[in-house]
Amino acid sequence: MLTPATTRKDRYDRQEVLWGYLLIGPTLLGISLFALWPLVQSVYLSFTSWGVFGQVQWVGGENYARLLADPEVYATLRNTIILAVTSVVGSVLIATLLAVLLNVGVRGTSVYRVLLFLPVVTMPAASAMVWKWLYNSDFGLLNSMLANFGIIGPAWITDKAFALWSVAIVCIWNEIGISMIILLAGLQGVPRSLHEAAHLDGAGPVATFFYVTLPLLTPTLFFVTVTSIISAFQMFDIIYLMIGPEGYALESTQTLIFLFYEQGFIHGSKGYAAAIVLLLFLIIALVTAFQFWLQKRWVHYE
């Protein structure tokens, strides 16, 4: 039998549920309009072919058959993996080192934080232009410095042997700031009492870091790694601005997202471009799922 108190409680519960849906409604609407619907459209487009005047023709799995047989896809996939692994490993390691150094309370910590975070808020076009000047083989700063030691510098962004690694360095520089800030926040969340206890037990700074600080930092490292890998797989602006669609070294720096842009916006093969971007989506989803499975073995939430 329902009592008046039970009836009021049920009414309040329904009101709370209603308010909850109202509060998350704008976010769900935004995700549906700008994430889920474009994904559905991309899936549909991947099974079609577009003519020169916008005629759409259903071609079934032809785009995916072309995708599997296209050697350019495998070359760009190789470049994408190399760029992602290099930039993520480099940025996470350097960001961790910088976060640890800033966490110990060195002089001018606030200034260093601002300087290291500047690449994050700098427009990609401005960053690319600066790095393009630094990498210039004729009058760039890097080759000018090497010339002082009698070393002839390479053509950093036009030589196929150096272009991909040059882009990776810029990606690392661009990602360090945000990763460092997040890791610094994680370090400041480690209880000082644990450090004091380790010091009383005779542990030095190195042992304290690896056996106390690092295990407690693993949730933050996991988050930074996941987001950095997703960002690295989608790297486009730096390659476009530094190498360009007609660059000499485009073949050695072209990634899947750049191939998607080239096929969809330059050649007009929207169906094939949709198949490429869905392949990239699948790769990112699988890599992310593998990371979540693997984190059970190395991430400590206690």
Side-chain angles (χ1 to χ4, degrees):
M1 181 176 179
L2 295 176
T3 63
T6 304
T7 304
R8 286 196 300 271
K9 182 178 183 302
D10 292 340
R11 185 170 64 252
Y12 291 149
D13 289 343
R14 287 195 296 269
Q15 289 177 350
E16 289 182 358
V17 171
L18 178 61
W19 275 109
Y21 280 116
L22 287 175
L23 291 173
I24 67 174
T27 301
L28 290 177
L29 180 62
I31 292 174
S32 300
L33 289 177
F34 301 109
L36 295 180
W37 177 240
L39 178 61
V40 172
Q41 284 186 310
S42 297
V43 173
Y44 168 73
L45 288 176
S46 68
F47 293 99
T48 63
S49 175
W50 287 58
V52 291
F53 295 105
Q55 300 95 336
V56 182
Q57 180 182 1
W58 183 267
V59 295
E62 288 185 10
N63 289 323
Y64 291 99
R66 176 185 172 187
L67 187 72
L68 294 175
D70 191 350
E72 190 175 16
V73 171
Y74 295 99
T76 55
L77 178 59
R78 170 185 169 274
N79 294 338
T80 303
I81 293 174
I82 292 175
L83 183 62
V85 172
T86 304
S87 60
V88 170
V89 172
S91 62
V92 171
L93 288 177
I94 297 174
T96 303
L97 176 61
L98 292 173
V100 170
L101 293 175
L102 293 177
N103 192 52
V104 298
V106 296
R107 294 183 59 183
T109 300
S110 300
V111 177
Y112 293 134
R113 289 180 186 176
V114 172
L115 292 176
L116 292 170
F117 194 74
L118 276 178
V120 180
V121 297
T122 303
M123 293 181 62
S127 301
M129 291 301 101
V130 171
W131 278 98
K132 207 169 181 180
W133 172 73
L134 291 173
Y135 281 140
N136 189 281
S137 57
D138 296 323
F139 51 84
L141 182 61
L142 288 178
N143 283 358
S144 297
M145 293 175 61
L146 292 175
N148 294 329
F149 298 96
I151 301 174
I152 300 176
W156 298 97
I157 56 176
T158 56
D159 189 335
K160 295 180 180 181
F162 294 93
L164 184 61
W165 306 110
S166 300
V167 171
I169 291 173
V170 181
C171 294
I172 292 172
W173 172 82
N174 195 51
E175 289 290 329
I176 285 175
I178 187 67
S179 299
M180 180 205 65
I181 292 297
I182 296 173
L183 289 169
L184 184 59
L187 285 170
Q188 293 179 347
V190 177
R192 292 187 177 274
S193 58
L194 297 179
H195 289 166
E196 294 172 357
H199 178 70
L200 292 175
D201 288 339
V206 176
T208 301
F209 174 77
F210 282 103
Y211 292 102
V212 178
T213 305
L214 191 58
L216 295 175
L217 189 63
T218 49
T220 309
L221 279 170
F222 173 66
F223 173 78
V224 168
T225 303
V226 170
T227 55
S228 297
I229 287 178
I230 294 174
S231 176
F233 271 106
Q234 301 179 79
M235 183 58 61
F236 170 79
D237 48 4
I238 291 177
I239 300 173
Y240 180 85
L241 293 167
M242 290 185 61
I243 307 299
E246 305 295 333
Y248 293 108
L250 179 62
E251 181 182 347
S252 64
T253 57
Q254 189 178 44
T255 58
L256 278 174
I257 196 69
F258 199 100
L259 183 62
F260 155 75
Y261 162 78
E262 184 181 63
Q263 292 293 331
F265 294 94
I266 296 179
H267 301 308
S269 302
K270 295 182 175 62
Y272 187 51
I276 293 172
V277 81
L278 285 174
L279 171 64
L280 179 61
F281 172 78
L282 178 62
I283 292 172
I284 293 176
L286 290 175
V287 171
T288 304
F290 176 73
Q291 288 179 281
F292 272 91
W293 173 79
L294 194 63
Q295 57 100 18
K296 299 176 183 179
R297 304 190 177 191
W298 68 278
V299 179
H300 306 278
Y301 290 100
E302 297 178 359

